Amino acid sequence: MNDDLNFKLSAASRKDRSENPDRQEESLDLVMSEKGLVSAESQRRLSSEKEIDDIIGQFSGMTTQDLTEAEETPEVEEIPVYEELPQEVEETPVYEELPPVVEETPVYEELPPEVEEIPVYEELPPDVEETPEQVELPEVEELPEAEELPEIDETPAEDSAQETPSDKMLDSLAFDSLKGKYDFINLSILTVLVVFIGLTFVFMKQTRDENKTKFSIKTLSSGEYSSYITEQYNSDLPMEKLMTQAEVVIKHLFGASDLEFVDYSTKEPPDGPVDDDTADDMAIADDPVSSETVTTTLPETTTSSGTTGKIPQSFDVSKADDPAESGDNVFTGRPIKTTTSRVTTTLELPKGTEDTTTKEVIFDYP
Amino acid sequence: MLFTDLIFVFAFLPIVTVISLFDRSAEYKNLVLILASAVFFSWGRPALILLLFSTAFADYLFGLGAASENKPLRIISTAADLLMNLAVFVVFSRNWLFDKGNIFGKLEFLSFSEKLIPIGVGFYAFRGMSYVLDVFRKRSKPEKNPFCILTYMMDFHLMFAGPLVRYDEMRDQLRTRRVDWSDINDGISRFVLGLGKAALLAPAFSRLASVGMNFKDLTAAGAWLGIVGCFGSLWWAFAGYNDMALGLGLMNGFTYPENLLPLRLKGYVKGIATGFNSTLCRFFSQNTVSQKNKPLNFLTVLLSSLLVGLWYVSELNFLAAAAFFGVFIGLENLFLKKFFDNKPPLMGNIYTILLSFAGASLLFFNSFERFKQWLLALVGKTSFSDNSALFGVVRENWVLLAIGFVGALPLFTDLFGRLGKKLSSSGAGYASLRLVKTAATALILCCYTVSAYQLLK
C-alpha cells in the first residue's frame, strides 16, 4: 500500500511539477503540505486506498480514474534528490580607487583667418523692354443669361449656432478676465486721483495759526476740536487761483457761461442730507433768499461838475420783501424789472468836484 | 460731516477704507466700522454718541425679550422698544415741535440746538424698531451677539438716505464677508457716481427750481420748468445719497438693497410712489397693511402712506401728498389696476404720469394759495412774462439739466442699457465702454472737487 501510495503521490507530483516547473526541486512532502493535504507521515496512517485516492485527486486535480490509469504506466521515474546548495553570501565588492580624472583642456590649432571672397558676378545683359505683341482677341460671344440661382438661406444652421457648454464656459472665463483687467484700471485711476488730491490738500495747505484749539478731552467731547479741524481744513485749501480757473472751464462744460465778462461768485446753500431732518429744505420757500455780489466796470459817466470819470461801483443785491418797481437803470439804460431786489451803493465822486462827500443811492437792479 | 464734504471724501473715507483692509476677518471690519461711525456721528458735535450706544444696547435687550416664549414679556419688550425709538425720533428728528408755540411747546426744555442733534436719527430709530418688530413677528431670529447689533445700528453708511436695511438682510454679512478688489472698484465707482448726482446734478435742478418757482414773477415757463427743477433736485439728491451709501457698503463688503427704484409706468401710481424710498415703504406696508379684506386693505394702505409722510416731514403739504398717493394706491388695489390692465397701455401711462405729477407737486408748496397760483400759471394764466433769468439759468446749466433729464427717464436708461449690452458683446467694444466709463468717473470726481472747493471759498 505504501508503494501504491508512493506511486500515486509521485504521479501527482509529476503532474504538479509539469504544471509548475519552478517547483521541480521541491520535495514531495513539501508540495503536499503546501497543497493543504495531509503530511507524509499521516498519509501512511490512512487505511483506505480510496481516501488516499481522494486526497491525491484533490492535490492533482486527477480523478480516481486518472489515478488508476497512472498506475498502469510501466515507467517509474525516480525522484531526484538534490543536494542543498550552499547559501549564497553576498560579498561587498571592493573597488580599487580610481585615479582622479584630469580634464585636459583641448588645444586647438589656429585656424587661418577667414578671407571674404568678393563674389564676381557676370554682367547681366541689359534689360530690354519688349513691347508686347498685340494679340488680336477673338470675338466674345454673348454669354447666355445666367439662370437665377435659388436663394440661399443665410441664417446659420441650428447646429452651428448652438454653443456647447464648454464654449460658453470659455466665453464667460474670457469675459471675467477682461472685466477684472478693466476693474483694476478703473480702481487704480480713481485711487490715484483720490490719494493725490487728498495729499495735495494736506501738504500744500496755506497754514494759518488763527485761534488754534488745543487737543484735550474736553474739546474732543464737546466737538470743538473736530470743528476746528474742519475749519482749518476748509480754510487752508491750496491752489485758489487754479481752482477758480478750473471752475470757469467746468462751467463752460456745463453750459454757456458769461464768466469771461462778468466775474461773480454765487454762494448757494450747501447740499444737505436728504432725510427727514432736512427734506423740507427741498420745498420752495416763499421768499428764497440769495445774495449776489456783482462787481463790474461801468462806462464813463458825467458827474455833477461836468468832469468825467469812471466810477467803480460795487453793489450788494439782496432780495427783500418789497414789490418790484419799474424804472430805468441810469447806467445801462435797460428797463428794470426786478422781483425783490434792493441795491444800496455808495458813489464816490472824483476829486476836484465841489461836493466830495459820498452819496448813498438806492435803486432797483434786475 | 456730510458725504459731500471734501474732508469726508479726501480724508475720512480713504483713511477708514485703508484701515479696514488691514485684516480680512469680519470682526475686525465690524470694529473699524463701529469706531468710524462713532467718529462720524460725533464730528463737530458733542459726544451724544453715548445716546446711540445706549439705545443700540437697549434694542439688543428688547430683541431678546421679543423672542422669548413668555407672551407678556414679548409684548412688553416690543412696546417698550417702539416707545423708546419713537421718543428718540420725535425728540431729535422733530425737535422743532418742542420750540415755544408749537405742539410740544410746554416741553421747551427738550428743545436743543441743531448742533446737539445727531445725524440721521430718523433712519437710526427705525432701524432699531424694524429689528425688534421683525423678531416679535417671527420674521427674524434674535441676535445674541451684541457686537453684531451694535454694528448694524451704528453703520454710518445708512444714515443719510437709507436704505432701511432689515437685520436679516445683514445678519450673514456681519459674520462673514469678503472684500475683493472688484468690490472696492464697484464701491468707489458707485460712490463717485453718487457724488456727481448729489453735488452736480441736484444743485443744477435746484437752481432751475429756485428761479422758475419764484412766486413774485411766476411765468408759465417758470411754472413748468420750476416744477421739473423741483422733481429733479429731489430725485437726484436722493439718488446720489443712495448711491453713495451703496458704494460705501460695497467698499466694506456689504450689499445693501436698492432704495430708489427706476421710474416705471407699468406699476402705475403705486410703482412710482413706492419706488422712491422703497425700503421704508416696504417696512410700513409690512407692519400696517392688512390683506384680510378690501375695505380694510384700503384703510391700512392709507394709514401706511400717512405714516410715511409723517416720517419724512410732519407738515401739512407732505401729509396731503401722502394721503393723495395713499388713496390712489388703495384704489388701484381695489379695482383700478385691473381696470387699466384691460385697457390699452397708453391710458394707464397717461393716468400714471398725470397723477404722479399732481401728487408729487404737493410736496413743494407750503400753502394752498401757492399751489393754486402755480396751477393757473401752468395753463398760462399769469401776468408775468419775463423769462430772462430763467433762460439764463437754463443756458448756464443746460448740459447738466439734459443729463439729469435723460438719466431719470426709463426710456433713455433702457436705450443706453441696450446699447451698452450690444457693445459689451465684443471684447473691443467692452474695453471702449469701460474706458469711457472710467474717464467719465474721473471727470465727475474732478468736477465735484472744484465745485465743493468753490462752495467753501
Side-chain angles (χ1 to χ4, degrees):
Chain A
M1 190 179 80
N2 284 339
D3 290 334
D4 289 339
L5 179 63
N6 283 332
F7 172 73
K8 286 171 187 172
L9 287 172
S10 66
S13 172
R14 277 199 304 276
K15 188 170 187 281
D16 182 62
R17 268 186 266 126
S18 66
E19 287 172 357
N20 298 313
D22 294 334
R23 303 183 64 175
Q24 299 240 347
E25 295 176 14
E26 292 175 0
S27 63
L28 179 61
D29 290 349
L30 185 60
V31 170
M32 292 276 289
S33 64
E34 279 183 6
K35 292 286 183 183
L37 296 175
V38 296
S39 62
E41 284 182 7
S42 55
Q43 69 191 332
R44 291 186 193 103
R45 293 191 205 114
L46 292 170
S47 56
S48 65
E49 195 175 358
K50 192 179 177 190
E51 286 177 11
I52 295 165
D53 287 339
D54 289 338
I55 290 164
I56 292 165
Q58 285 174 20
F59 167 70
S60 61
M62 294 165 73
T63 59
T64 311
Q65 190 180 357
D66 293 336
L67 287 167
T68 51
E69 283 176 5
E71 283 179 11
E72 293 170 2
T73 52
E75 292 179 2
V76 177
E77 288 182 5
E78 287 183 2
I79 301 162
V81 176
Y82 299 95
E83 290 177 1
E84 284 186 8
L85 284 167
Q87 286 182 358
E88 292 181 0
V89 175
E90 288 185 8
E91 292 180 359
T92 51
V94 176
Y95 299 103
E96 289 177 3
E97 282 187 12
L98 288 167
V101 176
V102 176
E103 286 186 5
E104 290 180 2
T105 51
V107 177
Y108 298 104
E109 291 177 3
E110 282 186 13
L111 288 168
E114 289 182 1
V115 176
E116 286 185 9
E117 293 182 1
I118 301 162
V120 176
Y121 299 104
E122 291 178 1
E123 283 186 10
L124 289 167
D127 290 337
V128 174
E129 287 184 4
E130 293 182 359
T131 54
E133 294 176 1
Q134 287 189 354
V135 178
E136 288 184 1
L137 294 167
E139 289 180 359
V140 177
E141 294 175 0
E142 283 184 7
L143 295 166
E145 283 180 7
E147 291 175 2
E148 281 185 10
L149 294 166
E151 284 181 4
I152 299 166
D153 187 10
E154 289 185 355
T155 54
E158 282 183 4
D159 293 336
S160 63
Q162 278 178 356
E163 286 183 351
T164 59
S166 58
D167 289 338
K168 284 181 188 172
M169 188 65 89
L170 283 169
D171 287 343
S172 71
L173 281 170
F175 178 77
D176 285 342
S177 67
L178 191 68
K179 183 178 180 296
K181 178 180 159 189
Y182 285 101
D183 279 350
F184 180 73
I185 293 171
N186 187 65
L187 179 64
S188 307
I189 289 171
L190 292 176
T191 308
V192 163
L193 211 53
V194 167
V195 168
F196 175 72
I197 295 171
L199 290 174
T200 306
F201 283 167
V202 168
F203 291 113
M204 287 181 65
K205 61 179 181 177
Q206 305 152 16
T207 49
R208 291 168 206 173
D209 289 332
E210 299 165 358
N211 303 325
K212 206 171 182 178
T213 305
K214 282 186 182 177
F215 176 77
S216 66
I217 293 171
K218 189 185 174 186
T219 55
L220 195 66
S221 59
S222 63
E224 204 179 318
Y225 189 72
S226 47
S227 298
Y228 162 72
I229 292 174
T230 308
E231 278 169 27
Q232 284 294 104
Y233 185 90
N234 291 336
S235 62
D236 293 348
L237 290 171
M239 302 182 296
E240 197 168 334
K241 286 181 184 174
L242 183 69
M243 286 296 187
T244 310
Q245 288 167 8
E247 192 197 11
V248 172
V249 171
I250 285 166
K251 286 202 172 189
H252 279 290
L253 282 175
F254 292 163
S257 141
D258 296 333
L259 282 174
E260 286 171 1
F261 306 102
V262 177
D263 180 25
Y264 66 92
S265 58
T266 53
K267 287 244 171 181
E268 289 166 8
D271 294 330
V274 182
D275 66 352
D276 54 288
D277 295 329
T278 56
D280 54 346
D281 288 336
M282 309 304 284
I284 301 302
D286 285 347
D287 295 307
V289 176
S290 67
S291 61
E292 287 181 80
T293 304
V294 182
T295 55
T296 181
T297 51
L298 298 163
E300 293 177 5
T301 60
T302 54
T303 61
S304 57
S305 62
T307 59
T308 59
K310 282 187 184 176
I311 304 171
Q313 185 180 62
S314 64
F315 44 88
D316 183 30
V317 178
S318 59
K319 292 188 177 179
D321 291 333
D322 294 333
E325 288 178 9
S326 60
D328 287 337
N329 186 330
V330 296
F331 297 105
T332 62
R334 280 187 290 160
I336 297 166
K337 275 184 189 172
T338 159
T339 56
T340 53
S341 304
R342 172 145 292 190
V343 177
T344 55
T345 183
T346 52
L347 291 175
E348 205 170 341
L349 296 171
K351 290 178 184 177
T353 56
E354 286 177 16
D355 190 357
T356 57
T357 58
T358 57
K359 282 186 179 175
E360 194 172 312
V361 174
I362 297 171
F363 63 93
D364 291 323
Y365 197 81
Chain B
M1 203 193 307
L2 305 173
F3 286 171
T4 50
D5 285 347
L6 283 173
I7 196 169
F8 178 83
V9 176
F10 293 113
F12 184 85
L13 180 61
I15 291 170
V16 168
T17 307
V18 166
I19 290 173
S20 71
L21 292 173
F22 286 163
D23 195 278
R24 285 188 172 188
S25 67
E27 288 81 12
Y28 172 78
K29 291 186 195 305
N30 290 347
L31 177 66
V32 170
L33 183 59
I34 289 169
L35 293 172
S37 301
V39 171
F40 182 83
F41 290 128
S42 59
W43 192 268
R45 294 163 192 270
L48 275 177
I49 198 69
L50 295 169
L51 171 75
L52 299 179
F53 275 114
S54 55
T55 50
F57 190 65
D59 284 324
Y60 162 73
L61 292 173
F62 288 136
L64 292 174
S68 74
E69 299 194 356
N70 186 356
K71 198 173 177 182
L73 180 62
R74 280 179 63 210
I75 293 169
I76 290 167
S77 301
T78 309
D81 184 77
L82 286 177
L83 274 172
M84 179 191 75
N85 283 307
L86 271 173
V88 166
F89 176 76
V90 170
V91 169
F92 290 100
S93 181
R94 297 287 181 269
N95 195 255
W96 55 270
L97 291 172
F98 296 91
D99 292 340
K100 206 174 181 181
N102 284 337
I103 300 173
F104 301 121
K106 287 184 181 176
L107 299 169
E108 207 179 333
F109 64 93
L110 286 172
S111 175
F112 307 128
S113 70
E114 200 187 322
K115 230 185 170 187
L116 290 174
I117 297 171
I119 299 170
V121 171
F123 280 104
Y124 175 85
F126 274 73
R127 209 153 50 241
M129 213 185 286
S130 74
Y131 164 65
V132 175
L133 272 172
D134 283 346
V135 171
F136 176 73
R137 293 189 127 197
K138 296 186 180 177
R139 275 194 226 116
S140 172
K141 288 180 190 172
E143 178 57 62
K144 292 184 182 171
N145 185 346
F147 191 57
C148 290
I149 290 286
L150 195 62
T151 312
Y152 168 70
M153 292 297 294
M154 296 287 294
D155 190 357
F156 74 94
H157 307 154
L158 310 172
M159 286 306 175
F160 284 118
L164 183 62
V165 185
R166 311 296 269 277
Y167 188 72
D168 258 2
E169 289 167 345
M170 269 180 80
R171 184 191 294 271
D172 295 335
Q173 295 176 82
L174 284 166
R175 284 181 160 77
T176 51
R177 63 183 184 278
R178 284 188 62 191
V179 182
D180 297 332
W181 292 113
S182 62
D183 293 328
I184 297 176
N185 170 64
D186 292 341
I188 197 169
S189 301
R190 190 127 194 209
F191 182 81
V192 171
L193 195 68
L195 265 182
K197 288 178 186 177
L200 299 174
L201 288 181
F205 280 92
S206 178
R207 285 191 282 275
L208 184 67
S210 65
V211 172
M213 298 288 264
N214 190 349
F215 286 94
K216 297 298 177 187
D217 62 349
L218 186 62
T219 62
W224 283 103
L225 289 177
I227 199 69
V228 167
C230 291
F231 286 142
S233 65
L234 187 64
W235 179 268
W236 286 115
F238 194 71
Y241 276 96
N242 263 288
D243 279 347
M244 284 193 272
L246 267 67
L248 289 172
L250 281 170
M251 282 195 268
N252 217 285
F254 289 116
T255 306
Y256 302 134
E258 293 284 341
N259 202 19
L260 184 69
L261 303 178
L263 292 168
R264 288 278 180 264
L265 296 175
K266 61 182 178 181
Y268 304 114
V269 171
K270 185 179 179 181
I272 301 283
T274 56
F276 189 71
N277 198 340
S278 60
T279 53
L280 185 78
C281 295
R282 189 169 47 122
F283 167 74
F284 280 112
S285 67
Q286 277 180 351
N287 290 299
T288 53
V289 174
S290 166
Q291 306 287 348
K292 278 183 185 171
N293 54 54
K294 288 188 177 179
L296 191 63
N297 177 263
F298 178 84
L299 288 170
T300 49
V301 162
L302 186 60
L303 174 68
S304 171
S305 302
L306 286 170
L307 288 172
V308 171
L310 274 172
W311 183 91
Y312 271 109
V313 179
S314 305
E315 287 184 4
L316 281 173
N317 57 328
F318 272 76
L319 290 174
F324 181 91
F325 280 115
V327 163
F328 279 98
I329 292 170
L331 290 173
E332 279 176 15
N333 287 345
L334 284 176
F335 65 93
L336 271 180
K337 185 177 181 301
K338 280 182 193 170
F339 173 76
F340 283 111
D341 283 345
N342 296 327
K343 292 283 178 284
L346 185 63
M347 257 184 86
N349 294 347
I350 292 170
Y351 152 78
T352 306
I353 291 168
L354 283 175
L355 275 154
S356 304
F357 189 73
S361 59
L362 290 169
L363 298 170
F364 305 110
F365 300 99
N366 292 336
S367 66
F368 185 71
E369 282 300 320
R370 294 285 185 213
F371 183 58
K372 192 177 157 188
Q373 191 179 353
W374 172 73
L375 280 176
L376 291 170
L378 275 182
V379 293
K381 289 189 178 176
T382 171
S383 55
F384 301 102
S385 59
D386 182 23
N387 292 310
S388 54
L390 179 70
F391 292 151
V393 167
V394 170
R395 198 166 52 93
E396 287 176 8
N397 298 280
W398 71 269
V399 173
L400 286 173
L401 293 172
I403 292 170
F405 189 74
V406 161
L409 294 179
L411 176 71
F412 295 106
T413 50
D414 288 346
L415 197 67
F416 288 128
R418 267 184 257 149
L419 187 68
K421 273 187 186 169
K422 207 171 179 181
L423 279 172
S424 302
S425 58
S426 75
Y430 180 78
S432 315
L433 193 68
R434 286 303 304 269
L435 289 173
V436 165
K437 205 174 166 187
T438 301
T441 313
L443 182 64
I444 289 170
L445 186 62
C446 295
C447 292
Y448 153 75
T449 308
V450 172
S451 166
Y453 185 101
Q454 289 302 323
L455 275 175
L456 291 169
K457 297 294 176 187

